Amino acid sequence: MFKALLILSIVTVWVVQAQPIQKQKLRFKLSAKGIPDKDDIGTTDPYVELYYTEDGSSKEHKFGRSATISDNENPVWGDVFEFDYDRSKGQRWHFKIKDHDNLREDDTVGKAWVIVDDYVDKGQTYTANLHKKGTITVQSLDPVTQTTPQVVLVNHGGQVVQAVVQPTPQVVQPGVATVVQPGVPTVVQPQTVVQPGVQTIVQPQQVVIVQPQKLRFQLSARGLDDLDLIGTTDAYVKAFFTDDVTRLESQFGRTAPINDSENPSWSETLEFDYIKGKKQRWHFQVLDQDDNRRDDEVGDAFIDVDDYVSKGENAVLKLKKGQLIVKRL
């Protein structure tokens, strides 16, 4: 009679998880669409000036300017811009589009702010809304790639096998509250108690892909403060958000202005990717459009998105004067 001999093969695994880019020389071109036309004769002759800030400072540093394109509200600039990106510095771009004029000071026809981390993380093309009308697009000229992880397997016989795999999934323990990132594979680790000398079968790990919930809503206001000397407020709203990771506000929506109304109802449908437990917070900035000077700030309103979702379809937020209503669709 022979005794069965159980030999266990030991597998050692080293995992290097993919990391986001920390530093890189960025090269890109710019284009714009729907620039406002302020010229009495012909159309806008646009050029763009490029500035950046770091570490939350308001001090701007200029790092580029494009050539001027004549009579074009949808310019595609051929200039190549370079920027030294460093994730640790919280960098932010400020693009100022101006209309060249030989007889007077150049008008600013569009402004946009971009968090450079967002541009790097989201891919090769990034489009941002201009502050009044139109958009500006940043088009990368070089690949923006993340570090590729590797898994090295060593069996008991000493043979080494290498394989390139996707980023390591997040491991979630049962019964433990965990914030799961959207679109990232998540492994729910089974709870298994192993007794010495007892054969134990471990069930396969379950992979769960968590997608964000799409929130759709419209905005209206009541009793806005009238800041115009002639007529009434021409109000529009910019929508921003922060979360438990984002250090600076990111704009995710903007309405068109409604002329001469202290009780506007904007027709635009705004969309937002909601993730429960991520501590997301909305900031709505209501402004009064003015063609001859800087737009006035009518009021600001803030709300935690978890609270908005839990309390129902509508939220009424206080402004400096009046109210902003968020109506869920």
Side-chain angles (χ1 to χ4, degrees):
M1 190 173 182
F2 296 93
K3 283 187 176 181
L5 180 62
L6 177 63
I7 301 176
L8 298 178
S9 296
I10 300 175
V11 179
T12 305
V13 181
W14 290 271
V15 178
V16 181
Q17 188 172 1
Q19 297 294 327
I21 292 171
Q22 300 299 315
K23 292 184 180 181
Q24 183 168 317
K25 174 79 74 174
L26 304 179
R27 300 174 66 252
F28 58 90
K29 290 185 177 183
L30 296 172
S31 60
K33 289 185 178 180
I35 295 175
D37 182 13
K38 288 195 172 184
D39 281 354
D40 297 327
I41 301 175
T43 54
T44 301
D45 305 323
Y47 65 92
V48 59
E49 294 179 339
L50 295 80
Y51 300 84
Y52 74 94
T53 61
E54 292 183 337
D55 300 320
S57 171
S58 60
K59 183 178 180 180
E60 293 190 335
H61 307 275
K62 188 173 182 180
F63 72 98
R65 171 182 166 159
S66 74
T68 301
I69 297 179
S70 300
D71 295 330
N72 197 324
E73 297 176 15
N74 303 291
V76 178
W77 291 284
D79 311 81
V80 176
F81 302 102
E82 292 189 347
F83 182 80
D84 291 323
Y85 168 63
D86 187 338
R87 186 177 293 270
S88 67
K89 294 182 178 180
Q91 294 164 325
R92 197 178 192 193
W93 287 331
H94 181 191
F95 301 122
K96 298 180 183 179
I97 300 178
K98 295 188 175 183
D99 177 20
H100 177 69
D101 197 310
N102 292 321
L103 303 177
R104 59 184 180 183
E105 183 178 357
D106 295 348
D107 294 319
T108 298
V109 293
K111 295 184 288 185
W113 292 261
V114 173
I115 297 172
V116 189
D117 288 352
D118 290 347
Y119 164 71
V120 171
D121 293 342
K122 290 180 180 178
Q124 306 298 303
T125 304
Y126 190 99
T127 299
N129 290 325
L130 298 173
H131 76 297
K132 288 188 176 181
K133 177 185 176 184
T135 59
I136 187 169
T137 297
V138 187
Q139 178 66 54
S140 174
L141 298 180
D142 296 320
V144 180
T145 56
Q146 309 299 328
T147 303
T148 302
Q150 285 190 331
V151 174
V152 179
L153 304 178
V154 181
N155 65 17
H156 72 285
Q159 182 181 3
V160 178
V161 179
Q162 292 186 348
V164 177
V165 299
Q166 296 301 317
T168 304
Q170 179 182 3
V171 177
V172 178
Q173 299 295 335
V176 179
T178 305
V179 177
V180 180
Q181 300 298 322
V184 176
T186 301
V187 175
V188 180
Q189 180 70 48
Q191 290 179 323
T192 305
V193 178
V194 180
Q195 298 295 333
V198 178
Q199 182 180 8
T200 303
I201 298 176
V202 179
Q203 297 299 322
Q205 295 176 337
Q206 179 184 3
V207 177
V208 180
I209 305 296
V210 177
Q211 298 294 340
Q213 178 184 350
K214 184 76 71 175
L215 299 182
R216 301 173 70 251
F217 58 91
Q218 290 180 325
L219 299 172
S220 60
R222 298 290 180 270
L224 295 181
D225 197 4
D226 183 11
L227 302 177
D228 284 351
L229 299 176
I230 301 175
T232 53
T233 301
D234 305 325
Y236 66 96
V237 182
K238 291 182 178 180
F240 305 87
F241 82 96
T242 58
D243 55 31
D244 58 359
V245 176
T246 306
R247 292 171 294 177
L248 296 174
E249 289 187 333
S250 299
Q251 184 173 331
F252 70 92
R254 182 187 188 279
T255 71
I258 294 180
N259 295 332
D260 297 329
S261 178
E262 297 174 15
N263 303 290
S265 292
W266 293 280
S267 61
E268 290 86 358
T269 296
L270 302 184
E271 292 188 348
F272 182 78
D273 289 331
Y274 165 63
I275 307 168
K276 185 177 181 180
K278 198 174 174 61
K279 298 181 181 179
Q280 294 169 317
R281 183 175 173 85
W282 284 336
H283 171 200
F284 297 107
Q285 186 179 41
V286 184
L287 299 107
D288 176 21
Q289 180 175 268
D290 196 313
D291 292 332
N292 299 318
R293 59 182 183 182
R294 181 179 179 181
D295 294 349
D296 295 317
E297 294 184 4
V298 179
D300 295 272
F302 300 84
I303 185 172
D304 292 330
V305 188
D306 286 341
D307 291 344
Y308 167 72
V309 172
S310 65
K311 290 179 180 178
E313 294 188 350
N314 296 336
V316 179
L317 311 178
K318 291 185 178 180
L319 299 168
K320 181 170 58 177
K321 179 182 177 182
Q323 298 174 328
L324 182 71
I325 299 96
V326 184
K327 181 180 180 181
R328 191 169 176 180
L329 300 177

